[in-house]
Amino acid sequence: MFSVTVRNHMMVAHSLRGEVFGPAQRLHGATYVVDATFRRGDLDPDGVVVDIGRATEALRAVLADLNYRNLDEEPALAGMNTSTEALARVIADRLAESVQGGVLGDSARELDSLSVTLHESHVASASYERAL
Amino acid sequence: MFSVTVRNHMMVAHSLRGEVFGPAQRLHGATYVVDATFRRGDLDPDGVVVDIGRATEALRAVLADLNYRNLDEEPALAGMNTSTEALARVIADRLAESVQGGVLGDSARELDSLSVTLHESHVASASYERAL
Amino acid sequence: MFSVTVRNHMMVAHSLRGEVFGPAQRLHGATYVVDATFRRGDLDPDGVVVDIGRATEALRAVLADLNYRNLDEEPALAGMNTSTEALARVIADRLAESVQGGVLGDSARELDSLSVTLHESHVASASYERAL
Amino acid sequence: MFSVTVRNHMMVAHSLRGEVFGPAQRLHGATYVVDATFRRGDLDPDGVVVDIGRATEALRAVLADLNYRNLDEEPALAGMNTSTEALARVIADRLAESVQGGVLGDSARELDSLSVTLHESHVASASYERAL
Amino acid sequence: MFSVTVRNHMMVAHSLRGEVFGPAQRLHGATYVVDATFRRGDLDPDGVVVDIGRATEALRAVLADLNYRNLDEEPALAGMNTSTEALARVIADRLAESVQGGVLGDSARELDSLSVTLHESHVASASYERAL
Amino acid sequence: MFSVTVRNHMMVAHSLRGEVFGPAQRLHGATYVVDATFRRGDLDPDGVVVDIGRATEALRAVLADLNYRNLDEEPALAGMNTSTEALARVIADRLAESVQGGVLGDSARELDSLSVTLHESHVASASYERAL
């Protein structure tokens, strides 16, 4: 099994609902350093999982729709607790749409799975993995 | 599949038994930077794998019982070669007990698995993964 | 010259005023991974610059007053553009007060200088250095 | 499941063939920071997955055959697009030969699998995982 | 004293002349992860050392002229041993020209100094610092 | 001003004397990831501060005398509190002797200064800087 991982980041405000979150129920924020990993059993005709340049651009485009925003006011996230793990799924699902829409090239449609990890600090991160 | 990872560290003395370890048979020591990863198929009602604050506290508590000690004199580790991978299992098993004891909340009892990685330097680490 | 550095982090919301900031004029947020460095010409009678445990606690206390907050609504920061470099100065000045107030012990009053670096992502940081 | 990971690096020149690579079709180069991970279900009689010292030496030896070279002129890689993921497989396969040849000791022949990750920068990496 | 640091990278081929370099006399390559640090005594009217976005773009532009190239064939570097430290100076000098040319805005002309660090691997780096 | 930094590590046991150290008064241990930085105003005739390979070897040799040991029993450190900052000075002084003894080549005798940083964990480090 092969994989390729690319990294970028986004800087957002948000708050979390639920007593368990303590002070994180207040409006605060985070830098999420985001790693997106693409997996497949064999390399494509160019000898890659996916072109790293294209993967980088696809991740950048997905993050651009969330970056520099207050997630509490994002219509697409209404009613959702924007925990680190929930955001990992949002980003993974949007990347999956990019892949299926051909943004990473035709051969990328043969990718098996992708995972997304959000590092919220030097001591905490969360991930979501899904099939493609 | 979702996961959450939290990081902490411990600083211990120990020695290893066996010719293969060469100079590490002498009493020496290590800082282990420890990553604990918790996994489950679905998020809990709060929208998380496990609360990052609680997971951080659970890991801190497990490490506190080993931190600033000479592992060669720890009764609980008697007769064990305290290699990095063996220590990863000790910590994972103790964290599993914490989870099952409710330390991370009721919904954490539905976690599927956890893994523990110990970084012994910038160039070497070891991990242990187990079901919950 | 000796120095000791300790690391912690805070997660805040804020916005920046000024056209140069482009999309960062919107309410967004950041995780700041904060390094505080203490410097002196000679070690104290215990053989340290400052006790790492005490320095860690002093930094934690300073960050606790800003953590999980919307900096746009912090009275103490009113009228200030909370850029990464301006926040580095706020934190350095508050740490300097801690040092001078004896929070790090008597011998810490002989520290020469301190600097504070805020990492706002894996690709950008800002620092402020001052005398003590 | 247990694992051990060791890290080293190599510095090579190469070029990539295929329009998708854009400017990377020119002769350029890379530092690959290489992580090799060895996995097995149980520890060996010494209480380890594999001795970290031996694993480090085995990885060093494999990288030495590629280090400080222009991969476009390496006979062993002739006709291959030396993408990061393809190089991960080359290194994993050569490490697998080392394991099977006894370089990591007899008990290492019971390893289940290994994976190799090449970090080509702070924002991109690729991996290959295979059975042993 | 305030500073701001931004990071980017370039991937180049080159060789070094001189017996001291041993195998690095052969054509090989490197990923240089580049940190550029800008310093000044006071913040500008916007409350920053330099806008991080503009600094990032200025560094990207300087690296673009070297990226994905064989430095042995770069006319601008002819006759120079392109050691990591020598390249740090080349990049610092080109960034200084950008600053003086107004690329980072008018107030950036008041910067005191800049330094450039090139990380050639996880275990080696080189820096050059100069006045502005 | 130019500089070159190389990294290695050592794994030692020790204890600290003094109430301020709390639990670190017990025998415990640490991995110190060590960065040694060499500085000079101009490059040598080969175009470097010091050859990175030689600097790496000099640091390895200095650390080898401390590695895999209990520092409480090292005659050379008798009577010294082996705090992270005190160890940084020990290593810097020994590296200075190496430089002056010609281990890094003749031109390295023109180095201006060196500094040594010991990272004792992902959240704490200490440094010592001295003239040459």
Side-chain angles (χ1 to χ4, degrees):
Chain A
M1 180 63 74
F2 291 92
S3 70
V4 156
T5 300
V6 295
R7 173 171 283 195
N8 209 320
H9 72 288
M10 63 176 186
M11 305 179 79
V12 298
H14 71 148
S15 61
L16 296 171
R17 292 188 312 271
E19 270 181 52
V20 71
F21 297 110
Q25 295 175 86
R26 299 196 297 251
L27 182 64
H28 63 289
T31 304
Y32 293 110
V33 176
V34 183
D35 288 323
T37 298
F38 302 88
R39 294 190 182 84
R40 62 193 296 169
D42 277 301
L43 299 181
D44 79 1
D46 287 312
V48 297
V49 167
V50 65
D51 178 56
I52 284 176
R54 275 183 172 173
T56 298
E57 173 55 25
L59 177 59
R60 191 204 59 73
V62 165
L63 297 184
D65 289 339
L66 298 169
N67 204 2
Y68 292 121
R69 280 177 172 77
N70 178 358
L71 302 186
D72 293 355
E73 299 181 351
E74 275 302 292
L77 306 178
M80 169 194 265
N81 233 0
T82 54
S83 67
T84 309
E85 42 273 61
L87 288 171
R89 180 165 55 182
V90 167
I91 293 168
D93 287 348
R94 292 183 181 185
L95 275 174
E97 282 175 40
S98 296
V99 169
Q100 287 148 2
V103 169
L104 278 78
D106 278 351
S107 82
R109 291 199 179 93
E110 291 160 39
L111 288 165
D112 288 326
S113 67
L114 69 81
S115 62
V116 168
T117 300
L118 270 64
H119 304 268
E120 67 170 57
S121 73
H122 63 304
V123 290
S125 62
S127 297
Y128 176 69
E129 178 165 5
R130 54 162 283 170
L132 278 175
Chain B
M1 181 63 74
F2 291 92
S3 71
V4 156
T5 299
V6 295
R7 173 171 285 195
N8 209 318
H9 73 288
M10 63 177 184
M11 305 180 80
V12 298
H14 72 148
S15 61
L16 297 170
R17 292 187 312 270
E19 269 181 53
V20 71
F21 298 110
Q25 295 175 85
R26 300 197 296 251
L27 182 64
H28 63 289
T31 304
Y32 294 110
V33 176
V34 183
D35 289 323
T37 299
F38 302 87
R39 294 189 183 85
R40 62 193 296 169
D42 277 301
L43 299 181
D44 79 1
D46 286 313
V48 297
V49 166
V50 65
D51 177 56
I52 284 177
R54 276 182 171 172
T56 298
E57 173 55 23
L59 177 59
R60 191 203 60 72
V62 166
L63 297 184
D65 289 338
L66 298 169
N67 203 3
Y68 291 121
R69 280 177 173 78
N70 177 359
L71 301 186
D72 293 356
E73 299 181 351
E74 275 302 292
L77 307 177
M80 171 195 263
N81 234 0
T82 54
S83 67
T84 309
E85 41 273 60
L87 288 171
R89 180 166 54 182
V90 168
I91 293 168
D93 288 347
R94 292 183 181 184
L95 274 174
E97 282 174 40
S98 297
V99 169
Q100 287 148 3
V103 170
L104 279 78
D106 279 350
S107 82
R109 290 198 180 93
E110 291 160 40
L111 288 165
D112 289 325
S113 67
L114 69 80
S115 62
V116 168
T117 299
L118 270 65
H119 304 268
E120 68 170 56
S121 73
H122 63 305
V123 290
S125 63
S127 297
Y128 177 68
E129 178 165 6
R130 55 162 279 170
L132 279 174
Chain C
M1 181 61 75
F2 291 92
S3 69
V4 156
T5 300
V6 295
R7 172 171 285 194
N8 209 318
H9 72 287
M10 63 178 185
M11 305 179 81
V12 298
H14 71 148
S15 61
L16 298 170
R17 291 188 312 271
E19 268 182 53
V20 71
F21 297 110
Q25 295 175 86
R26 298 196 297 250
L27 182 65
H28 63 290
T31 304
Y32 293 109
V33 176
V34 182
D35 288 324
T37 298
F38 302 87
R39 294 192 183 81
R40 62 194 294 168
D42 277 302
L43 299 182
D44 78 3
D46 288 311
V48 298
V49 167
V50 66
D51 177 57
I52 285 176
R54 275 183 171 172
T56 298
E57 173 55 24
L59 177 59
R60 191 205 59 73
V62 166
L63 298 184
D65 289 339
L66 297 169
N67 204 1
Y68 292 121
R69 278 176 173 78
N70 177 359
L71 301 185
D72 293 355
E73 300 182 351
E74 276 301 291
L77 307 177
M80 170 196 264
N81 233 359
T82 55
S83 67
T84 308
E85 41 274 61
L87 289 171
R89 179 164 55 181
V90 168
I91 293 168
D93 287 349
R94 293 182 180 185
L95 275 174
E97 283 175 39
S98 297
V99 169
Q100 288 148 3
V103 170
L104 278 76
D106 278 351
S107 83
R109 290 199 180 93
E110 291 160 39
L111 288 165
D112 289 325
S113 66
L114 69 80
S115 62
V116 168
T117 300
L118 271 63
H119 304 268
E120 66 169 57
S121 73
H122 63 305
V123 290
S125 63
S127 297
Y128 176 68
E129 178 165 6
R130 55 162 281 169
L132 277 174
Chain D
M1 179 63 75
F2 291 93
S3 70
V4 155
T5 299
V6 294
R7 173 172 285 194
N8 209 318
H9 73 286
M10 64 176 185
M11 305 179 80
V12 298
H14 71 149
S15 61
L16 297 170
R17 292 187 312 270
E19 269 182 54
V20 71
F21 298 110
Q25 296 176 85
R26 300 196 296 250
L27 182 64
H28 64 289
T31 304
Y32 293 109
V33 176
V34 183
D35 289 323
T37 298
F38 302 87
R39 293 190 183 83
R40 63 192 295 167
D42 276 302
L43 299 181
D44 79 1
D46 287 312
V48 298
V49 167
V50 66
D51 178 57
I52 284 176
R54 276 183 171 172
T56 298
E57 174 54 24
L59 176 59
R60 192 204 59 72
V62 166
L63 297 184
D65 289 339
L66 298 169
N67 204 3
Y68 292 121
R69 280 177 172 77
N70 177 359
L71 301 186
D72 293 354
E73 298 181 352
E74 275 302 292
L77 306 177
M80 169 195 263
N81 233 1
T82 55
S83 67
T84 309
E85 42 273 62
L87 288 171
R89 180 164 55 182
V90 168
I91 293 168
D93 287 348
R94 292 183 181 185
L95 275 175
E97 283 175 40
S98 297
V99 169
Q100 287 147 3
V103 170
L104 278 77
D106 279 351
S107 83
R109 290 197 180 94
E110 292 160 39
L111 288 165
D112 289 326
S113 67
L114 70 78
S115 62
V116 168
T117 300
L118 271 65
H119 304 268
E120 68 169 55
S121 73
H122 62 306
V123 290
S125 63
S127 297
Y128 176 68
E129 178 165 4
R130 54 161 281 169
L132 278 175
Chain E
M1 180 64 73
F2 291 93
S3 70
V4 156
T5 300
V6 295
R7 172 171 284 194
N8 208 320
H9 72 288
M10 64 177 184
M11 305 179 79
V12 298
H14 72 148
S15 61
L16 297 170
R17 291 187 313 271
E19 269 180 53
V20 72
F21 298 110
Q25 295 175 88
R26 299 196 296 251
L27 181 66
H28 63 289
T31 304
Y32 293 110
V33 176
V34 183
D35 288 324
T37 298
F38 302 87
R39 294 190 183 82
R40 62 192 296 167
D42 277 302
L43 299 182
D44 79 2
D46 287 312
V48 297
V49 167
V50 65
D51 177 57
I52 284 177
R54 275 183 172 172
T56 298
E57 173 55 23
L59 177 59
R60 192 204 59 73
V62 166
L63 298 184
D65 289 339
L66 298 169
N67 203 2
Y68 292 121
R69 281 177 172 76
N70 178 358
L71 302 185
D72 293 355
E73 298 182 351
E74 276 301 292
L77 307 177
M80 170 195 264
N81 234 359
T82 54
S83 66
T84 309
E85 42 273 62
L87 288 171
R89 180 165 55 184
V90 168
I91 293 168
D93 287 347
R94 292 183 180 184
L95 275 174
E97 283 175 40
S98 297
V99 169
Q100 287 148 1
V103 168
L104 278 79
D106 278 351
S107 82
R109 290 199 180 92
E110 291 160 40
L111 288 165
D112 289 325
S113 67
L114 70 81
S115 62
V116 168
T117 300
L118 270 63
H119 304 268
E120 68 170 55
S121 73
H122 62 306
V123 290
S125 63
S127 296
Y128 177 67
E129 178 165 6
R130 55 162 281 171
L132 277 175
Chain F
M1 180 62 75
F2 291 92
S3 70
V4 156
T5 300
V6 294
R7 172 171 286 194
N8 209 319
H9 72 288
M10 63 177 183
M11 305 178 80
V12 298
H14 72 148
S15 61
L16 297 171
R17 291 187 313 272
E19 269 181 54
V20 71
F21 298 111
Q25 294 175 85
R26 300 196 296 251
L27 181 65
H28 63 287
T31 304
Y32 293 110
V33 176
V34 183
D35 289 324
T37 298
F38 303 87
R39 294 190 183 83
R40 62 193 295 168
D42 276 301
L43 299 181
D44 79 2
D46 287 312
V48 297
V49 167
V50 66
D51 177 57
I52 284 176
R54 275 181 170 174
T56 298
E57 173 54 25
L59 176 59
R60 192 203 59 73
V62 166
L63 298 184
D65 289 339
L66 298 169
N67 204 2
Y68 292 120
R69 278 177 174 77
N70 178 359
L71 301 186
D72 292 355
E73 299 181 351
E74 276 301 291
L77 307 177
M80 170 195 263
N81 234 359
T82 54
S83 67
T84 308
E85 40 274 60
L87 289 171
R89 180 165 55 182
V90 168
I91 293 168
D93 287 348
R94 293 183 180 184
L95 275 174
E97 282 175 39
S98 297
V99 169
Q100 287 148 3
V103 170
L104 278 78
D106 279 351
S107 82
R109 290 198 180 94
E110 292 160 40
L111 288 165
D112 289 325
S113 67
L114 70 80
S115 62
V116 168
T117 300
L118 270 64
H119 305 268
E120 66 171 56
S121 72
H122 62 304
V123 290
S125 63
S127 296
Y128 176 67
E129 178 164 6
R130 54 162 281 170
L132 279 175

